[in-house]
Amino acid sequence: MPALIHKHLIACIFALLLLPCVSSAQKIFEGQVLDKETEATIPGVTVILLKEKKGTQTNNRGYYKLLSTDTIATDTLQFTSVGYKTLKIAVSAYEPNMFVTLEVDVTQLKGVTITNSKKKIPQIHYFRMANIKTNDHNNPTLPFDAQYMFAVLAKAEKKHSRITSLKVGRRGFNDPNRPTGYAQFLLHILSVDATTGKPGQKIYTKQVIVEDNSMILDIDVSADNWVMDTDNFYIGVEWQRTPINERLVTGIDEIVWKTTAKGTQRLQDAPTYRMVYQPSLIAFINGKKYTAYYMNTPGNWQRYNLKISYMVMGTPVPYDTHIALSATLTY
Amino acid sequence: MAVYYFPFSDISNYNGLMMIKYLTFFALMGWGLTSLAQIKMNNFRIVDAETKLPIPYVSISLSRANVAMNTEQDGLLSIPGDLATFRDTVFIAAQNYLIIKAPIRSLNGLDTIRLRKSAYRPPLITPSNTGTDTVLNKFNWRDVCFFAGVHTENARFSYLQMAQEFDVPVQGATLKQISICRLAHMGLVRMSADGDVIIMNQEKYVQLELTKFRLRFYDVDPRTGGPGRDIYTKVVEVSNKDDRNLKINLKEYSIIIPGKKFFVAVEWLRTFDNAGYAEYRSEQNLIYKPTLGMLPYATGKLKIWGLTYGHKWQPYTYYSPDWTDLAISATVKW
């Protein structure tokens, strides 16, 4: 009899030890859902935690946020959308703010003739999801240093193009304590100054307000009739310098703590803080030629030439970078 | 790479803290650094009037010059310049002592400043025992992306303390825990002088920066609706905290809240180890850890108060009307 009690006691303890593995505290699942081929954001995707039976839908930026109050470790996130294959991800495989890609389900498109020829959609300074993924150590996101504006030269294949959308990659979540959150900013199309080649007059402007943690912002301007007379123009981002749009970034610098009698300086790290404004644009490494300017004091455009250095065998090796800012055109 | 150089760093008698103090006073009181050699130094020791023992972390602030500093553990304070010519009001304050408010020129010729103990003691309250534990101003630390405690390009941050207002259902609740979300760096990225970004050796910065500060607890001032008198007289000092989400267990202090409204304030300690730099009007200025998170929720009522260098509590309106609360939660038992 005592042996039987002992056996049951061990079983109970074992079961109790397993409990935390089965159920844990609340957790937030969030991210963006993209088309696997085009990488366009997909609105209206249903996202469900199958066992907990909680669900939500992606918004017009393909962004979802699902609060799990009692996360089950063996649960599965399911993504479903008409025209796409259903995707399931184990919650154990979920990474904070991850991109999820859905594949088009051709079997559902009955009555539609599918050909291999793809209509070419002209995109200027196209960037891919892979360029801005924060968990890829080779493509880190960095705080962008411009204070007022940033503009990149766009060269269309011909004149009289129509801009249908603009795409912005903004700084994400390499620090889970500091979500990207709210952002408001202006997007501009600017002329090319005939004398200097720098950004000139503002031709078109659109205000963008983001209230979620989306990293890829697809801004549809097809209804705004942005037609360009010239083949060269600038795409610009202007930061709105209001408190609600601020973001505090930290760094370190060195102070001279002490100078010895022999004149040797002893240095000590001290934290530095500075405000940047949303959105924090993403720099990524790209080998192609790129003409861009930034403005740190009003009216003063300076050439953008940020290099990211990696320590290779103890030596910093610099690489040219682009900013994740692109435009889609029709002719 | 910018290197901050303290002009007195080759004087072996002075430690780094004193250098910070000198630099702050010089920079903000308009003294030219070229004339340092001729400047008179006024050295004080701030002590308890009865025991004659030095008082650590006494707050000294000048309302007009907008300058504040602390004594260290030794109660020492140095002010450069001819005090007889200064036109400003100095406030000398420490928990449980009467505040000195005087023209700064009245300190001229002194070497010791004596603070008298305050006779005020909070009333003894019978703890309530009718309810359960409740978390007030509960927040998810992942939502915190705004921070108070640093200068911005357009606004100087000039507060000695910042307080969050709380409401409790009954009188006599016991304060059990405070949680504070702050911003702390790992120092992974450094910008070189020509604008290049260098990814630093991450192993060097495996630990978050440490901080040290004090917590203060106040009842409500019926005249202003802001923080009033201390409801707890023992010093609650939080040190060596290297987390971004600080949890401070207060069970050992038995802090009883006398009314249905109270305030929890963070008092910054202006020490060398707490010092950092933030830009204000394109110049680097000293600030002190910890930065305090703001909650990105609008509640319709501003519940944040700041204690100015002139020792007046005023609503903190920098993020108004958008954000109304600090990322400080309080667990109470009632």
Side-chain angles (χ1 to χ4, degrees):
Chain A
M1 191 68 176
L4 191 65
I5 293 171
H6 189 68
K7 210 178 199 176
H8 280 290
L9 192 64
I10 289 173
C12 286
I13 291 170
F14 190 68
L16 283 171
L17 286 172
L18 276 178
L19 266 180
C21 305
V22 177
S23 176
S24 57
Q26 71 170 31
K27 189 173 179 181
I28 294 171
F29 298 95
E30 62 176 337
Q32 274 181 289
V33 184
L34 311 178
D35 181 293
K36 190 170 185 178
E37 189 179 332
T38 65
E39 294 196 351
T41 54
I42 312 174
V45 177
T46 302
V47 186
I48 298 176
L49 280 164
L50 292 176
K51 286 185 180 169
E52 198 180 339
K53 294 185 171 42
K54 275 205 158 185
T56 186
Q57 282 201 321
T58 58
N59 66 12
N60 60 355
R61 273 181 291 278
Y63 171 83
Y64 71 94
K65 186 173 185 177
L66 186 54
L67 176 65
S68 161
T69 48
D70 192 13
T71 309
I72 302 163
T74 55
D75 209 343
T76 303
L77 273 167
Q78 178 178 280
F79 300 81
T80 51
S81 181
V82 175
Y84 289 94
K85 289 180 181 172
T86 296
L87 179 74
K88 291 180 180 177
I89 299 173
V91 296
S92 57
Y94 169 83
E95 293 172 13
N97 309 298
M98 72 192 299
F99 290 115
V100 168
T101 55
L102 297 187
E103 196 176 345
V104 172
D105 186 357
V106 288
T107 59
Q108 286 188 23
L109 303 175
K110 287 175 183 172
V112 177
T113 306
I114 297 171
T115 64
N116 284 330
S117 63
K118 291 176 188 170
K119 187 184 175 185
K120 189 187 173 192
I121 302 170
Q123 287 185 316
I124 298 176
H125 302 308
Y126 180 65
F127 64 91
R128 297 190 62 84
M129 178 182 72
N131 296 128
I132 63 170
K133 274 175 78 170
T134 53
N135 58 356
D136 181 349
H137 192 64
N138 292 320
N139 290 298
T141 59
L142 297 165
F144 193 64
D145 210 32
Q147 293 288 307
Y148 285 86
M149 284 180 75
F150 173 83
V152 57
L153 182 63
K155 293 180 180 177
E157 288 175 10
K158 42 192 161 181
K159 291 180 182 175
H160 307 300
S161 61
R162 188 160 171 267
I163 301 168
T164 57
S165 70
L166 296 163
K167 190 166 149 186
V168 180
R170 65 171 182 154
R171 187 170 189 250
F173 313 92
N174 51 1
D175 181 343
N177 292 333
R178 295 153 62 193
T180 306
Y182 183 93
Q184 67 176 51
F185 59 101
L186 300 174
L187 277 175
H188 298 297
I189 300 299
L190 303 108
S191 64
V192 180
D193 187 287
T195 313
T196 63
K198 293 179 180 179
Q201 298 295 316
K202 292 170 188 167
I203 303 170
Y204 300 115
T205 296
K206 190 175 187 76
Q207 187 179 48
V208 181
I209 294 177
V210 186
E211 291 177 320
D212 57 40
N213 289 336
S214 300
M215 287 179 66
I216 291 180
L217 309 177
D218 260 322
I219 295 105
D220 183 2
V221 293
S222 56
D224 297 305
N225 201 28
W226 287 10
V227 178
M228 300 305 301
D229 293 334
T230 58
D231 51 354
N232 285 358
F233 55 90
Y234 279 93
I235 309 164
V237 168
E238 181 177 351
W239 285 272
Q240 296 195 290
R241 299 164 66 87
T242 58
I244 196 173
N245 212 31
E246 285 176 353
R247 181 178 172 139
L248 189 63
V249 294
T250 60
I252 50 163
D253 220 322
E254 287 176 335
I255 56 172
V256 177
W257 166 246
K258 193 175 183 181
T259 304
T260 64
K262 291 180 180 176
T264 307
Q265 289 185 338
R266 289 188 182 157
L267 303 176
Q268 178 168 310
D269 285 343
T272 59
Y273 303 82
R274 68 194 170 96
M275 286 294 178
V276 295
Y277 294 88
Q278 290 273 22
S280 293
L281 300 182
I282 296 174
F284 64 92
I285 292 170
N286 190 316
K288 293 179 186 170
K289 271 197 167 184
Y290 195 68
T291 303
Y293 289 87
Y294 65 95
M295 189 188 281
N296 273 351
T297 51
N300 182 21
W301 286 106
Q302 293 174 278
R303 189 70 187 258
Y304 168 84
N305 189 24
L306 182 73
K307 291 178 189 296
I308 293 178
S309 296
Y310 284 97
M311 302 299 278
V312 179
M313 306 289 281
T315 310
V317 178
Y319 295 90
D320 287 321
T321 60
H322 280 196
I323 295 297
L325 176 61
S326 72
T328 304
L329 311 178
T330 57
Y331 296 112
Chain B
M1 183 191 309
V3 172
Y4 298 90
Y5 180 78
F6 291 115
F8 289 100
S9 57
D10 55 348
I11 301 174
S12 59
N13 290 340
Y14 295 99
N15 62 24
L17 179 73
M18 299 298 264
M19 291 161 206
I20 278 192
K21 293 173 182 175
Y22 295 141
L23 191 69
T24 311
F25 268 84
F26 281 127
L28 295 173
M29 294 173 78
W31 285 88
L33 292 177
T34 52
S35 59
L36 290 180
Q38 290 79 39
I39 287 177
K40 174 187 170 188
M41 301 306 302
N42 306 278
N43 298 317
F44 307 96
R45 184 178 289 272
I46 301 182
V47 300
D48 183 296
E50 290 174 20
T51 66
K52 309 292 187 289
L53 293 172
I55 309 172
Y57 305 125
V58 177
S59 160
I60 301 100
S61 56
L62 299 178
S63 56
R64 192 173 158 200
N66 215 16
V67 177
M69 57 195 290
N70 278 159
T71 59
E72 260 284 5
Q73 295 279 4
D74 52 12
L76 281 176
L77 166 70
S78 287
I79 303 177
D82 183 359
L83 295 183
T85 64
F86 287 180
R87 297 286 178 269
D88 210 329
T89 304
V90 65
F91 294 81
I92 304 175
Q95 188 175 351
N96 300 327
Y97 289 91
L98 296 173
I99 294 177
I100 291 179
K101 177 188 175 186
I104 192 169
R105 62 177 180 274
S106 66
L107 303 183
N108 192 32
L110 299 178
D111 60 5
T112 304
I113 298 168
R114 296 178 180 83
L115 295 189
R116 286 190 295 124
K117 276 260 170 65
S118 166
Y120 175 78
R121 288 290 174 270
L124 290 172
I125 304 291
T126 307
S128 163
N129 200 19
T130 56
T132 53
D133 286 7
T134 306
V135 181
L136 308 173
N137 200 36
K138 192 174 183 180
F139 63 90
N140 186 332
W141 57 272
R142 282 178 60 95
D143 290 341
V144 179
C145 53
F146 294 89
F147 296 89
V150 300
H151 313 302
T152 67
E153 189 64 25
N154 302 307
R156 209 179 140 70
F157 187 84
S158 303
Y159 296 102
L160 301 166
Q161 300 177 31
M162 278 192 84
Q164 168 68 32
E165 179 184 324
F166 295 95
D167 294 300
V168 273
V170 296
Q171 296 177 333
T174 306
L175 194 50
K176 293 178 70 177
Q177 181 175 282
I178 296 293
S179 294
I180 300 173
C181 185
R182 65 158 180 151
L183 180 66
H185 77 92
M186 293 281 286
L188 300 179
V189 175
R190 191 175 291 213
M191 193 77 74
S192 71
D194 56 0
D196 288 0
V197 174
I198 298 170
I199 311 295
M200 299 299 292
N201 179 5
Q202 297 186 22
E203 290 174 10
K204 187 182 172 188
Y205 299 102
V206 289
Q207 189 184 33
L208 288 173
E209 56 184 354
L210 300 173
T211 185
K212 183 175 180 178
F213 58 94
R214 285 182 174 180
L215 285 177
R216 301 285 292 267
F217 309 93
Y218 298 103
D219 64 8
V220 62
D221 182 337
R223 292 172 300 126
T224 64
R229 293 182 153 179
D230 282 289
I231 59 175
Y232 190 72
T233 53
K234 283 185 189 167
V235 172
V236 178
E237 202 164 279
V238 182
S239 60
N240 298 325
K241 284 284 185 181
D242 67 348
D243 202 341
R244 286 182 172 126
N245 201 27
L246 310 174
K247 289 191 189 308
I248 301 118
N249 188 338
L250 299 172
K251 281 180 188 168
E252 62 178 287
Y253 297 103
S254 300
I255 301 168
I256 312 298
I257 301 153
K260 290 186 175 181
K261 189 188 290 289
F262 70 103
F263 296 84
V264 174
V266 168
E267 180 178 11
W268 281 281
L269 300 182
R270 293 161 188 271
T271 64
F272 186 89
D273 289 333
N274 264 346
Y277 301 91
E279 276 191 10
Y280 171 63
R281 292 184 180 166
S282 302
E283 288 182 2
Q284 292 280 31
N285 280 268
L286 282 167
I287 59 112
Y288 296 88
K289 292 178 281 186
T291 51
L292 300 178
M294 301 283 303
L295 297 189
Y297 326 126
T299 62
K301 191 196 172 196
L302 183 62
K303 292 184 174 175
I304 310 170
W305 293 74
L307 183 63
T308 66
Y309 290 174
H311 273 266
K312 282 186 182 164
W313 284 101
Q314 61 183 36
Y316 178 69
T317 57
Y318 185 72
Y319 289 104
S320 290
D322 299 301
W323 313 143
T324 51
D325 293 83
L326 288 171
I328 299 179
S329 69
T331 306
V332 294
K333 182 173 171 36
W334 52 276

